[in-house]
């Protein structure tokens, strides 16, 4: 009887999840249909399903530019949101973002280094950003490792130290870059420009298995949030799971930041927004974050492309600019919202 | 059912915290672990459910070395309530239901319907019915303690380990909880091991106690045998008066500190 | 009652800010010019006073370095920034860093010429050394800068000569272009600056150069230095692409997603635009000549070679007399000042 109420809540959570999946696909469609160039809807339809149009320009725009870009936004948004979820659960800290392990600082340094050394037209920036992101993570991991375990406090402090170091080094590269400074600053603002099917393939292949893997971690992460000892008593191999989780987070974030530059807000705030709707149970939170995060980034990218058309506003600006009011709205209404399914 | 701890030694950074600990715990009995702060009580508990791995020694549950169990299999048999009060963003009900995690085979299964009846029993037994929808951050520390006890009982363990179960609880709940635990231990025939600071409570509810000092077992046996003014003064440096009634110890009253600790 | 009080507080704060701003704006240190004194208004609207003709000039704007050379006062230049490589003799001067005020002061200049955006670093020197900031946003702006640099360095006559020659050149080019566009129409042009996708809006002199050379700037409806999206550029379908980043090659553009649709790419009309001829120095006419060639494949004949060499001489018939030039440029200058102050 007591559990009937709970079962009702579970049903509502499933409903929300299905709703989020619907919104996800809807936003992808919106993102493909709308852009700085106005293309009539039936043409869009025709191009998506028949891969043909009389108008060659429209065909290229939809097929070569918008579709890969929107899909990448969906994957990156999902990855960043899930990473935020995972890292907040692992570190038992609602203020943690996936960048807390030094990942985005490492990537920024990788990009800045290439530009400062004038190699950025020979070696692709994403490669360097990815490599240094992983290097930063490995350093953090190594520093925090104690007796084969990764205590939370050590992880946080090591991450801070590594982030600070690479941040300083990035500033140094910016100083050395001279007139190329602009290129670095622009990269740091984040953006989804210049992405094609090639990049989409890498992102999809890299991120999809990691997303699927994280779906399985929900139960164990829930237990870990009650404390390492309690988690162990509930059967969770805490050290193994913690290591696995941060490796998953690092790979996902490194891939994302390498191609899009550091995009803020999604990793930190989206998990909280989803919590207001669906509660803190990671078994729901993780899949919900995938679809919420994906939709969120697709829609903010849409705004970034169209608000000041034909100019493109760097996406990091839009995520915070529009994300924050939305977040505040949910925050204020959370008591009512959470009664429903959380 | 028998839990045997044999010659367990645990070192932390090459400092021996537990030295050659040996004792047994039987089903249907509450075993109390007493001793001053730093004696190694919590460490011992953590070795039992394998949160810590001892340097030497073996722990046998019904004759099987617990090393052979995976963390999950061990969790099906042992439940723990720790002293640490961590506030997680879950509701009371969600926390209690986590006790079923070791028994849920799939990472996606939310609830096993067969257990819902006895989950309700435990919730009612611990009077948590009204708090189910509240978040853990909205209730008091003592209420959180009751939630974790419910969570542990929901786990249907064969061994129940409690670290300072009555800390943060008011007088009423102290007795209330201990009585529930006692009844549960006897009726479900489980092994319960709990650490205590409150000697009177320990004496009242434990069937056996072990008194620890500096990582070794100073004395073990029935409460009346172990909790004597001489033992307590040796271990705690406190003079006590034991109040008996009909040969059973009613209360342990601390009188004064005999020697300041370094 | 309460909100009325906060309203009053807010009004008081706003009023005091305005007041403070007005005071700061109107109090400007003025110097009475001495008998030999030269007074000019730079592109930031500042009144710059030189007590005497400067003998030790620093230029941290490469365009100004070139201008100083063309004005024949290069021997008075004692320091240039590291990007001033035109003329090659500039490399023999002391290389200075505009961010390092100490270093600049150390070589005791009596005039500094800089870009407007370098003011942040040079502001501290403004009460010690006369500084002229240039910020030309049109070809007339370039003429104005040549004139004020000439006036400031005692080469006013030479400056006017150069300006009138340039005007004659430009007039000639305009004639040529008129015929070319009658035949071939106006090609659409995309100019890419150092940063990828960054282009020039309509309030820049590069834009004016493009229009003068018969092209249409695809970003002509925007202002400033906007960032365009792939979509927009593909849709605009430029016929010619000019890029200023010397490390790129046309291949970098063909590989961008969807760009193989673009006319310029299909016809191989992607050209490197040397910034030395697309800057605010007298050499901009060479840039115009280059553009005419890039747009129409037409080489402007060199019997107007005087425009395109370092030596100026008299051109026949359509030359405007010096005194008229004087008046003309003074009127122009005044108009520019009035516009700038509004």
């Amino acid at each position: 009887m007591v559990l009937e109420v709970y079962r009702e809540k579970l049903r509502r959570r499933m409903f929300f999840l299905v709703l989020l999946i619907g919104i996800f696909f809807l936003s992808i469609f919106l993102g493909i249909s709308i852009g700085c160039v106005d293309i009539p809807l039936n043409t869009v339809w025709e191009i998506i399903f028949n891969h043909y149009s009389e108008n060659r320009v429209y065909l290229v725009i939809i097929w070569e530019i918008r579709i890969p870009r929107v899909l990448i936004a969906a994957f990156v948004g999902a990855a960043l949101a899930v990473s935020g979820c995972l890292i907040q659960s692992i570190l038992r800290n609602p203020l943690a973002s996936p960048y807390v392990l030094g990942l985005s600082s490492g990537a920024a340094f990788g990009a800045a280094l290439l530009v400062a050394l004038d190699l950025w037209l020979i070696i692709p920036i994403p490669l360097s950003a990815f490599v240094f992101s992983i290097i930063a993570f490995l350093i953090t991991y190594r520093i925090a490792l104690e007796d084969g375990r990764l205590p939370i406090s050590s992880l946080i402090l090591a991450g801070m130290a590594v982030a600070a170091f690479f941040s300083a080094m990035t500033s140094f590269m910016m100083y050395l870059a001279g007139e190329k400074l602009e290129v670095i600053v622009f990269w740091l603002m984040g953006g989804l420009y210049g992405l094609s099917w090639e990049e989409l393939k890498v992102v999809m292949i890299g991120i999809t298995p990691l997303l699927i893997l994280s779906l399985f971690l929900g139960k164990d992460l829930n237990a870990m949030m009650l404390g390492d000892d309690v988690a162990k008593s509930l059967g969770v191999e805490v050290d193994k799971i913690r290591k696995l989780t941060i490796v998953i987070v690092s790979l996902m974030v490194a891939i994302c930041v390498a191609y899009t530059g550091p995009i803020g807000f999604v990793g930190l705030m989206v998990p909280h927004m989803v919590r207001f709707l669906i509660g803190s149970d990671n078994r729901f939170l993780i899949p919900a974050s995938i679809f919420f995060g994906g939709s969120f980034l697709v829609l903010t990218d849409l705004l970034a492309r169209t608000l000041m058309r034909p100019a493109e506003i760097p996406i990091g600006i839009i995520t915070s600019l529009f994300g924050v009011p939305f977040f505040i709205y949910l925050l204020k209404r959370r008591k009512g919202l959470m009664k429903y399914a959380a | 059912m028998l839990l045997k701890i044999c010659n367990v030694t645990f070192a932390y950074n090459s400092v021996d915290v537990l030295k050659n600990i040996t004792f047994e715990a039987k089903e249907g009995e509450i075993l109390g672990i007493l001793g001053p702060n730093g004696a190694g009580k919590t460490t011992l508990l953590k070795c039992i459910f394998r949160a810590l791995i001892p340097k030497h020694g073996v722990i046998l549950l019904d004759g099987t070395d617990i090393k052979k169990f995976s963390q999950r299999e061990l969790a099906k048999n042992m439940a723990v309530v720790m002293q640490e009060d961590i506030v997680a963003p879950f509701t009371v009900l969600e926390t209690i239901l986590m006790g079923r995690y070791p028994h849920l085979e799939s990472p996606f299964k939310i609830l096993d319907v067969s257990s819902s009846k006895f989950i309700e029993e435990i919730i009612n037994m611990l009077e948590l019915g009204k708090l189910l929808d509240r978040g853990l951050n909205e209730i008091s520390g003592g209420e959180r303690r009751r939630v974790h006890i419910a969570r542990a009982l929901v786990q249907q363990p064969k061994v129940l380990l409690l670290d300072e179960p009555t800390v943060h609880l008011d007088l009423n709940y102290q007795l209330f909880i201990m009585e529930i635990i006692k009844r549960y231990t006897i009726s479900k025939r489980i092994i319960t091991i709990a650490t205590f600071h409150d000697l009177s409570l320990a004496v009242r509810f434990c069937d056996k106690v072990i008194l620890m000092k500096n990582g070794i077992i100073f004395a073990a046996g029935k409460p009346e045998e172990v909790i004597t003014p001489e033992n307590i003064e040796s271990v705690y440096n406190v003079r006590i008066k034991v109040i008996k009634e009909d040969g059973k110890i009613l209360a342990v009253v601390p009188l004064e500190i005999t020697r300041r600790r370094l | 009652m309460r909100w009325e009080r906060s309203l009053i507080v807010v009004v008081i704060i706003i009023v005091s800010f305005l007041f403070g701003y007005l005071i700061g704006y109107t109090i400007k240190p003025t110097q009475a010019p001495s008998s030999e004194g030269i007074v000019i208004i730079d592109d930031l609207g500042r009144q710059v006073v030189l007590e005497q003709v400067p003998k030790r000039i620093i230029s941290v704007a490469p365009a100004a370095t070139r201008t100083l050379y063309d004005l024949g006062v290069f021997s008075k230049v004692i320091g240039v920034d590291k990007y001033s490589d035109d003329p090659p003799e500039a490399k023999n001067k002391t290389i200075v860093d505009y961010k390092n005020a100490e270093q600049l002061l150390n070589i005791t200049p009596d005039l500094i010429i800089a870009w407007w955006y370098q003011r942040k670093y040079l502001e501290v020197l403004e009460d010690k050394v006369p500084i002229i900031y240039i910020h030309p946003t049109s070809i007339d702006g370039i003429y104005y800068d040549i004139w004020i640099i000439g006036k400031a360095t005692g080469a006013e006559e030479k400056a006017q000569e150069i300006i009138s020659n340039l005007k004659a050149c430009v007039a000639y080019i305009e004639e040529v272009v008129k015929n070319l566009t009658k035949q071939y129409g106006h090609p659409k042009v995309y100019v890419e600056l150092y940063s990828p996708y960054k282009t020039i809006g309509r309030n820049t002199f590069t834009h004016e150069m493009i229009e003068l050379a018969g092209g249409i700037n695809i970003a002509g409806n925007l202002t400033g230095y906007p960032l365009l999206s792939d979509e927009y550029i593909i849709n605009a379908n430029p016929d010619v692409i000019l890029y200023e980043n010397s490390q790129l090659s046309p291949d970098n553009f063909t590989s961008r997603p969807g760009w193989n649709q673009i006319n310029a790419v299909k016809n191989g009309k992607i050209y490197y635009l040397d910034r030395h001829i697309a800057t605010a120095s007298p050499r901009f006419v060479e840039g115009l000549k280059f553009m005419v060639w890039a747009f129409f494949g037409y080489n402007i004949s060199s019997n107007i070679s005087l425009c395109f060499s370092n030596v100026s001489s008299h051109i026949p018939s359509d030359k405007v007399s010096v005194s008229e030039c004087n008046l003309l440029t003074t009127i122009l200058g005044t108009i520019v000042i009035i516009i700038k102050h509004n």
Side-chain angles (χ1 to χ4, degrees):
Chain A
M1 187 227 9
V2 136
L3 296 180
E4 252 321 297
V5 181
Y6 184 61
R7 276 216 202 91
E8 179 56 32
K9 271 222 171 131
L10 292 179
R11 272 185 282 256
R12 289 179 184 170
R13 286 181 192 175
M14 285 306 295
F15 166 69
F16 258 138
L17 197 52
V18 171
L19 190 64
L20 283 175
I21 296 178
I23 293 178
F24 178 74
F25 285 106
L26 185 64
S27 10
I28 290 182
F29 181 71
L30 273 178
I32 298 178
S33 317
I34 305 178
C36 94
V37 173
D38 285 323
I39 301 181
L41 263 180
N42 49 0
T43 314
V44 175
W45 210 260
E46 190 184 16
I47 293 176
I48 296 181
F49 292 104
N50 300 337
H51 190 52
Y52 168 79
S53 169
E54 287 172 335
N55 188 325
R56 277 233 79 203
V57 174
Y58 286 170
L59 183 64
V60 165
I61 289 181
I62 298 277
W63 202 261
E64 302 290 335
I65 298 182
R66 280 201 204 157
I67 290 183
R69 179 181 175 132
V70 166
L71 289 180
I72 290 183
F75 274 96
V76 168
L80 289 176
V82 168
S83 300
C85 231
L86 294 175
I87 204 89
Q88 283 168 2
S89 299
I90 280 291
L91 297 181
R92 286 203 283 272
N93 188 335
L95 295 177
S97 86
Y99 300 148
V100 89
L101 298 173
L103 294 161
S104 85
S105 313
F109 172 71
L113 181 71
L114 273 190
V115 175
L117 294 181
D118 254 336
L119 295 170
W120 57 293
L121 295 159
I122 306 173
I123 303 176
I125 289 186
L127 183 62
S128 175
F130 179 80
V131 165
F132 277 97
S133 189
I134 297 296
I135 289 178
F137 163 68
L138 288 173
I139 297 177
T140 304
Y141 188 95
R142 205 59 196 75
I143 297 177
L145 200 63
E146 269 170 41
D147 278 338
R149 288 176 300 119
L150 283 176
I152 288 180
S153 48
S154 305
L155 261 181
I156 294 182
L157 291 173
M160 277 173 64
V162 170
F165 173 75
F166 277 108
S167 222
M169 290 302 289
T170 303
S171 297
F172 185 47
M173 290 300 119
M174 286 167 76
Y175 170 72
L176 292 177
E179 62 175 12
K180 297 166 283 187
L181 180 64
E182 222 178 76
V183 181
I184 302 179
V185 170
F186 184 61
W187 190 88
L188 286 176
M189 291 197 272
L192 291 161
Y193 48 91
L195 298 170
S196 67
W197 284 96
E198 287 309 309
E199 285 88 5
L200 176 61
K201 276 185 220 150
V202 176
V203 166
M204 270 207 314
I205 295 176
I207 291 186
T208 311
L210 295 171
L211 285 178
I212 295 178
L213 205 57
S214 35
L215 287 173
F216 286 86
L217 292 173
K219 195 170 107 185
D220 287 344
L221 288 179
N222 284 348
M224 284 173 73
M225 291 195 71
L226 291 180
D228 279 6
D229 293 323
V230 174
K232 283 185 193 162
S233 79
L234 285 173
V236 177
E237 290 178 69
V238 167
D239 293 307
K240 233 167 78 171
I241 298 287
R242 194 146 43 219
K243 285 181 197 169
L244 178 64
T245 308
I246 59 170
V247 166
I248 291 177
V249 167
S250 313
L251 283 174
M252 275 203 287
V253 173
I255 294 176
C256 292
V257 179
Y259 282 113
T260 67
I263 298 180
F265 187 85
V266 182
L268 178 60
M269 303 295 244
V270 167
H272 287 290
M273 288 158 77
V274 182
R275 270 195 202 99
F276 290 155
L277 294 175
I278 222 170
S280 296
D281 187 340
N282 281 303
R283 292 171 296 188
F284 287 98
L285 195 58
I286 291 176
S289 299
I290 291 179
F291 295 104
F292 191 101
S295 315
F296 183 79
L297 203 64
V298 167
L299 292 174
T300 47
D301 180 55
L302 180 58
L303 285 173
R305 283 184 282 135
T306 54
L307 270 185
M308 271 174 55
R309 47 175 151 174
E312 256 188 47
I313 307 175
I315 195 163
I317 299 176
I318 302 287
T319 50
S320 296
L321 211 56
F322 284 85
V324 168
F326 187 29
F327 174 83
I328 293 179
Y329 167 75
L330 288 176
L331 180 70
K332 289 289 173 194
R333 301 280 243 94
R334 77 183 182 283
K335 294 248 155 60
L337 279 172
M338 287 171 82
K339 270 203 180 27
Y340 185 70
Chain B
M1 192 178 39
L2 199 62
L3 180 70
K4 265 202 222 178
I5 282 84
C6 308
N7 282 326
V8 164
T9 302
F10 180 82
Y12 187 69
N13 279 346
S14 69
V15 172
D16 276 350
V17 176
L18 294 176
K19 300 178 239 231
N20 277 324
I21 304 289
T22 302
F23 65 91
E24 278 178 11
K26 276 213 294 276
E27 65 182 49
E29 284 187 349
I30 299 184
L31 173 77
I33 303 183
L34 311 174
N37 293 344
K41 309 193 294 296
T42 308
T43 312
L44 176 56
L45 223 57
K46 285 196 187 179
C47 285
I48 297 178
F49 72 94
R50 246 177 133 64
L52 296 174
I53 299 181
K55 197 162 74 173
H56 297 304
V58 108
I59 299 176
L60 301 166
L61 177 61
D62 266 347
T64 321
D65 188 351
I66 61 166
K67 254 206 297 259
K68 298 217 170 75
F69 288 111
S70 72
Q71 194 82 47
R72 190 120 163 273
E73 280 161 6
L74 196 61
K76 287 187 191 168
N77 294 313
M78 286 196 200
V80 167
V81 178
M82 298 300 292
Q83 217 189 118
E84 223 185 334
D85 186 22
I86 294 184
V87 182
F90 298 115
T91 60
V92 164
L93 182 57
E94 280 176 329
T95 312
I96 297 176
L97 289 175
M98 286 203 215
R100 296 306 300 162
Y101 276 11
H103 302 280
L104 296 173
E105 293 304 329
S106 142
F108 298 109
K109 188 143 192 220
I110 309 281
L111 199 61
D112 52 349
V113 189
S114 52
S115 54
S116 42
K117 194 137 189 293
F118 89 86
I119 294 178
E120 278 199 45
E121 276 169 23
I122 292 174
I123 291 176
N124 292 330
M125 191 165 66
L126 283 161
E127 296 184 359
L128 289 170
K130 295 223 170 56
L131 298 177
L132 288 179
D133 260 337
R134 308 263 217 98
L136 287 181
N137 59 330
E138 294 169 26
I139 58 179
S140 70
E143 287 166 331
R144 269 195 290 279
R145 180 57 56 87
R146 276 158 52 210
V147 171
H148 278 289
I149 293 175
R151 191 250 317 137
L153 295 181
V154 156
Q155 215 168 324
Q156 283 184 306
K158 294 200 194 119
V159 179
L160 180 62
L161 304 170
L162 305 155
D163 197 11
E164 315 281 348
T166 55
V167 144
H168 295 317
L169 297 180
D170 67 34
L171 204 56
N172 186 302
Y173 274 124
Q174 280 180 11
L175 292 179
F176 178 65
I177 288 298
M178 287 314 300
E179 265 162 33
I180 289 180
I181 292 177
K182 181 111 193 169
R183 263 185 284 134
Y184 195 87
T185 306
I186 295 173
S187 67
K188 304 281 181 185
R189 294 156 71 80
I190 63 171
I191 299 173
T192 300
I193 303 178
T195 64
F196 286 97
H197 270 313
D198 188 336
L199 300 178
S200 303
L201 273 179
V203 138
R204 179 162 165 167
F205 288 100
C206 296
D207 301 292
K208 293 235 194 57
V209 288
I210 60 176
L211 181 58
M212 289 181 69
K213 177 182 177 172
N214 289 336
I216 59 159
I217 297 185
F218 187 84
K222 289 220 181 57
E224 302 80 46
E225 296 162 16
V226 173
I227 301 183
T228 62
E230 300 78 38
N231 283 344
I232 298 302
E233 191 165 330
S234 289
V235 173
Y236 288 92
N237 292 318
V238 169
R239 221 159 44 85
I240 58 162
K241 186 176 171 72
V242 176
I243 301 181
K244 288 204 174 139
E245 198 180 80
D246 298 334
K248 301 214 78 194
I249 301 184
L250 202 54
V252 175
V253 181
L255 295 176
E256 63 170 354
I257 300 177
T258 59
R259 189 159 64 116
R260 209 143 293 136
R261 289 148 73 150
L262 292 143
Chain C
M1 306 309 126
R2 214 158 280 167
W3 69 264
E4 273 169 354
R5 231 190 274 165
S6 4
L7 188 63
I8 294 177
V9 172
V10 169
V11 170
I12 291 178
I13 291 176
I14 294 178
V15 168
S16 23
F17 264 112
L18 282 172
F19 194 59
Y21 177 74
L22 280 166
I23 292 184
Y25 189 74
T26 49
I27 294 182
K28 262 194 266 187
T30 44
Q31 276 171 279
S34 68
S35 54
E36 224 194 294
I38 311 168
V39 181
I40 49 166
I41 313 269
D42 73 1
D43 283 341
L44 290 182
R46 297 167 58 252
Q47 187 184 60
V48 184
V49 179
L50 293 103
E51 303 279 312
Q52 6 167 321
V53 177
K55 300 194 188 62
R56 300 173 61 79
I57 307 173
I58 292 182
S59 164
V60 289
T65 309
R66 176 72 208 189
T67 305
L68 288 164
Y69 178 79
D70 285 336
L71 287 170
V73 297
F74 205 61
S75 52
K76 299 206 194 138
V77 174
I78 55 165
V80 295
D81 71 316
K82 66 178 183 211
Y83 294 113
S84 290
D85 51 2
D86 182 19
E89 290 88 314
K91 286 296 175 190
N92 299 334
K93 309 283 182 183
T94 312
I95 310 289
V96 295
D97 179 9
Y98 68 86
K99 296 198 196 85
N100 193 339
E102 250 180 54
Q103 182 195 26
L104 295 177
L105 258 186
N106 199 32
I107 54 178
T108 58
D110 48 21
L111 171 65
I112 301 178
I113 308 178
W115 290 115
W116 87 101
Y117 60 78
Q118 295 167 323
R119 186 172 189 193
K120 204 164 59 189
Y121 304 95
L122 299 171
E123 207 165 357
V124 288
L125 300 175
E126 279 172 21
D127 52 354
K128 303 177 181 63
V129 182
I131 307 183
I132 296 176
Y133 296 102
I134 57 173
H135 184 19
T137 55
S138 64
I139 292 181
D140 284 336
I142 301 180
Y143 294 148
Y144 182 72
D145 287 337
I146 297 174
W147 178 59
I148 57 174
I149 294 177
K151 188 168 177 202
T153 55
E156 191 175 352
E157 249 192 64
K158 182 71 183 185
Q160 270 150 198
E161 197 185 307
I162 293 178
I163 293 173
S164 58
N165 287 338
L166 289 174
K167 286 190 175 163
C169 287
V170 169
Y172 176 75
I173 294 176
E174 276 179 311
E175 275 300 312
V176 173
V177 167
K178 216 190 310 187
N179 289 328
L180 286 169
T181 53
K182 242 188 238 148
Q183 242 187 317
Y184 301 109
H186 295 269
K188 291 178 285 190
V189 182
Y190 165 61
V191 174
E192 186 166 290
L193 299 177
Y194 193 86
S195 299
Y197 296 92
K198 201 167 211 204
T199 189
I200 40 143
R202 64 167 180 267
N203 56 341
T204 59
F205 59 80
T206 317
H207 170 88
E208 210 181 316
M209 281 170 71
I210 292 180
E211 308 252 298
L212 237 157
I216 301 177
N217 178 6
I218 63 169
N221 54 332
L222 306 167
T223 57
Y225 300 97
L227 272 159
L228 301 179
S229 57
D230 287 297
E231 246 179 72
Y232 181 85
I233 298 172
I234 292 176
N235 196 42
N237 203 3
D239 301 297
V240 178
I241 295 179
L242 301 176
Y243 62 93
E244 290 194 5
N245 187 343
S246 55
Q247 290 164 313
L248 292 176
S249 71
D251 291 324
N252 292 106
F253 292 89
T254 54
S255 58
R256 291 185 186 174
W259 280 52
N260 43 20
Q261 264 302 102
I262 298 177
N263 282 346
V265 174
K266 284 200 278 206
N267 301 328
K269 291 185 119 197
I270 308 176
Y271 307 108
Y272 167 61
L273 174 63
D274 186 348
R275 64 178 167 85
H276 296 116
I277 57 175
T279 187
S281 76
R283 292 191 68 191
F284 80 87
V285 284
E286 290 176 57
L288 283 175
K289 175 182 174 188
F290 174 79
M291 283 185 192
V292 171
W293 173 79
F295 297 171
F296 304 104
Y298 181 85
N299 236 311
I300 292 190
S301 74
S302 315
N303 63 10
I304 308 292
S305 60
L306 65 95
C307 290
F308 309 124
S309 73
N310 304 334
V311 182
S312 61
S313 54
H314 299 286
I315 46 168
S317 61
D318 25 44
K319 171 191 133 186
V320 180
S321 78
V322 176
S323 48
E324 276 179 71
C325 238
N326 224 332
L327 188 62
L328 202 70
T329 43
T330 315
I331 294 174
L332 265 172
T334 320
I335 295 173
V336 170
I337 296 164
I338 294 173
I339 293 174
K340 278 192 177 31
H341 268 272
N342 292 352

